[in-house]
Amino acid sequence: MRETFLERWENTRVRYASKAFLTRAMAKLIQDEGMGLDVVSLGELFTALSAGFPSERIEMNGNAKSHEEIELAVNSGVGRIIVDHPDELKTIENYASKKGVVQRILIRVAPGVDAHTHKYIATGQTDSKFGFPVELSEGSMLTNAIKYAMNSKSLDLRGLHFHIGSQLFDPDDYIKGLEKTIELIRDLRDKLNFVTHELNFGGGFGAVINPSIPHVHPEIFTDPMMKLLHENCTKYGLEIPRAIIEPGRWIVSEACVTLYKVENIKELPGVTYIAVNGGMADNPRYALYQAEYEAVAVKDPDAPAYDREGGTHVSIVGKCCESGDILIENAKICKLEAGDIIALYNSGAYTFSMSSTYNKLQRPAVVFVENGEARVVVERQSLEDIIRGDNL
Ligand SMILES: *Cc1c(COP(=O)(O)O)cnc(C)c1O
């Protein structure tokens, strides 16, 4: 991100979308890499602040922010609040004026682009629950919000934000979203005399399912976008806004493997179940939207897949009491036995952060590894943790 975006283009920022994976050590890592954080809840904001993360580099997103969240955001001095609903404007204004500060904000718009990804992770379409529809007629939601913010003494509207979806491999949808947003920036100047100083493109850069597939290079998105931004702003005579991106998955997903122990193997006619000591509690992504994964045996990662006779397929399943508790539906993996350890690739994003304690499974530990040194950054949950706060 530093080399391909921050150092290549002037007046740019990266804000890591912490919902993909956030622990205090992760916040520290992002801080040390010179990036900022995008948070969407009291819990994420508190985690970042408790790690000593500089609040001016935090931005607060979210389509249903509570008063408490906005209050903590304003009082802790977060750099930007991304407004997703008209009601937020007054709430932010109240807390900012109480504190005697001017809060910097962006307004999130839905540029009317339907990204080519699973519908649960597409967010840019006009009827999305996120953002303001791009509609500048007199009295529209967006027009009213911009006028309100421009007239407020406690709000400093710096610009716009959009995010069209996640796990994208093709910059086309992004480019379409950007084109529409630059037209909006032009119309805002022409109709409302509003100057956009910042434009946040959101995240969404895809991650690959195993290490033998080449990474997605973020510049396949950011280069054409930055060129388009420069060209079209010049064409319309607009100030070139600061460009901000919010990658989550791309930063963390491929950096992680999840280790599972094989508990048992059940061979049935037509299907073999490899049952492991985790599952949808630590990784609900297959159950949620059929996310694809690949795994290898740690004892021999390069071993060829074991071909079972008659096209029998192999499912790697978890230990939760649901038939949908699947990690890999049609696994290509070598012959395994109980006690083997398998490594599930590309599992850093939206796994630990989406994990639960379903069936009262204890959340696994998180270990950072660098140059052969390992460090536990989140302890495995203890049984005491499982009943903490659970009163008889
Ligand atoms: C989820 C999200 C991101 C990050 O998406 P990735 O696909 O993980 O890069 C960025 N911005 C917003 C507003 C999001 O909701």
Side-chain angles (χ1 to χ4, degrees):
M1 285 293 155
R2 265 206 323 264
E3 287 165 12
T4 62
F5 185 63
L6 292 174
E7 288 166 10
R8 188 122 121 206
W9 300 96
E10 262 176 37
N11 198 17
T12 48
R13 300 280 187 278
V14 175
R15 300 286 177 251
Y16 166 66
S18 65
K19 69 176 193 274
F21 171 83
L22 182 66
T23 70
R24 299 197 311 153
M26 184 67 194
K28 183 72 173 55
L29 193 57
I30 291 295
Q31 181 183 346
D32 293 347
E33 294 291 339
M35 297 189 270
L37 276 183
D38 152 37
V39 301
V40 299
S41 70
L42 215 48
E44 288 181 354
L45 179 54
F46 179 77
T47 302
L49 293 172
S50 79
F53 200 90
S55 59
E56 70 278 4
R57 276 201 253 154
I58 299 178
E59 59 175 48
M60 179 103 193
N61 258 298
N63 74 302
K65 299 180 193 75
S66 67
H67 283 231
E68 221 183 342
E69 283 163 345
I70 291 175
E71 183 179 21
L72 182 63
V74 172
N75 286 342
S76 60
V78 306
R80 302 287 180 279
I81 297 178
I82 321 289
V83 175
D84 203 300
H85 190 281
D87 293 354
E88 283 175 36
L89 291 165
K90 275 200 188 71
T91 315
I92 299 169
E93 198 176 32
N94 285 342
Y95 288 118
S97 82
K98 220 185 273 174
K99 200 180 173 225
V101 295
V102 176
Q103 178 63 50
R104 295 182 153 185
I105 61 172
L106 303 179
I107 288 182
R108 177 163 177 175
V109 295
V113 171
D114 205 351
H116 290 105
T117 188
H118 192 284
K119 73 174 192 303
Y120 286 6
I121 53 177
T123 55
Q125 64 279 23
T126 305
D127 62 356
S128 165
K129 78 166 179 175
F130 300 101
F132 289 66
V134 173
E135 169 60 61
L136 274 190
S137 53
E138 187 61 34
S140 77
M141 204 199 274
L142 184 57
T143 303
N144 286 351
I146 302 241
K147 283 186 178 167
Y148 187 95
M150 286 174 77
N151 287 324
S152 169
K153 289 192 176 61
S154 306
L155 301 175
D156 178 9
L157 176 59
R158 305 296 301 161
L160 303 174
H161 174 290
F162 71 92
H163 169 70
I164 62 167
S166 200
Q167 189 60 344
L168 307 176
F169 292 94
D170 178 350
D172 280 3
D173 295 324
Y174 236 123
I175 294 289
K176 274 185 229 147
L178 180 59
E179 263 173 350
K180 292 202 174 179
T181 309
I182 301 172
E183 284 166 19
L184 173 64
I185 291 174
R186 179 198 58 196
D187 295 347
L188 284 172
R189 179 200 57 191
D190 295 347
K191 293 187 178 162
L192 300 177
N193 213 11
F194 174 73
V195 180
T196 302
H197 299 295
E198 292 179 16
L199 179 57
N200 186 320
F201 303 159
F205 316 133
V208 298
I209 60 176
N210 80 48
S212 69
I213 303 172
H215 297 286
V216 170
H217 292 280
E219 62 267 37
I220 68 160
F221 291 92
T222 51
D223 277 2
M225 291 178 73
M226 291 306 290
K227 281 187 194 130
L228 185 76
L229 184 68
H230 282 248
E231 275 167 25
N232 284 13
C233 286
T234 308
K235 185 166 86 189
Y236 300 140
L238 296 166
E239 165 184 324
I240 294 163
R242 167 181 292 169
I244 303 133
I245 53 173
E246 288 172 336
R249 184 192 311 275
W250 189 90
I251 287 188
V252 79
S253 199
E254 294 169 21
C256 172
V257 295
T258 308
L259 302 178
Y260 296 98
K261 188 174 86 188
V262 175
E263 294 291 6
N264 63 50
I265 295 172
K266 189 177 283 173
E267 308 221 8
L268 300 177
V271 60
T272 296
Y273 288 109
I274 297 171
V276 300
N277 67 341
M280 68 189 290
D282 59 85
N283 184 350
R285 294 190 65 249
Y286 183 88
L288 205 53
Y289 36 60
Q290 293 75 52
E292 268 184 74
Y293 285 104
E294 289 184 12
V296 291
V298 168
K299 65 181 178 189
D300 187 359
D302 298 320
Y306 169 59
D307 266 334
R308 284 171 175 80
E309 278 154 41
T312 295
H313 87 264
V314 177
S315 267
I316 300 182
V317 297
K319 64 185 277 122
C320 292
C321 305
E322 310 267 338
S323 294
D325 174 21
I326 296 170
L327 289 169
I328 307 181
E329 172 90 70
N330 210 339
K332 306 270 178 287
I333 196 159
C334 66
K335 198 165 166 59
L336 294 166
E337 35 190 87
D340 281 344
I341 306 291
I342 63 168
L344 193 86
Y345 286 128
N346 184 37
S347 53
Y350 306 107
T351 52
F352 191 75
S353 63
M354 282 188 172
S355 65
S356 71
T357 53
Y358 180 44
N359 284 159
K360 297 280 191 229
L361 300 191
Q362 294 147 260
R363 267 200 195 90
V366 178
V367 180
F368 275 12
V369 182
E370 186 179 31
N371 300 328
E373 303 269 322
R375 161 165 85 99
V376 175
V377 298
V378 180
E379 308 276 343
R380 174 186 293 139
Q381 274 191 330
S382 66
L383 288 173
E384 275 64 42
D385 292 334
I386 288 282
I387 54 166
R388 196 137 68 101
D390 181 339
N391 298 329
L392 247 186

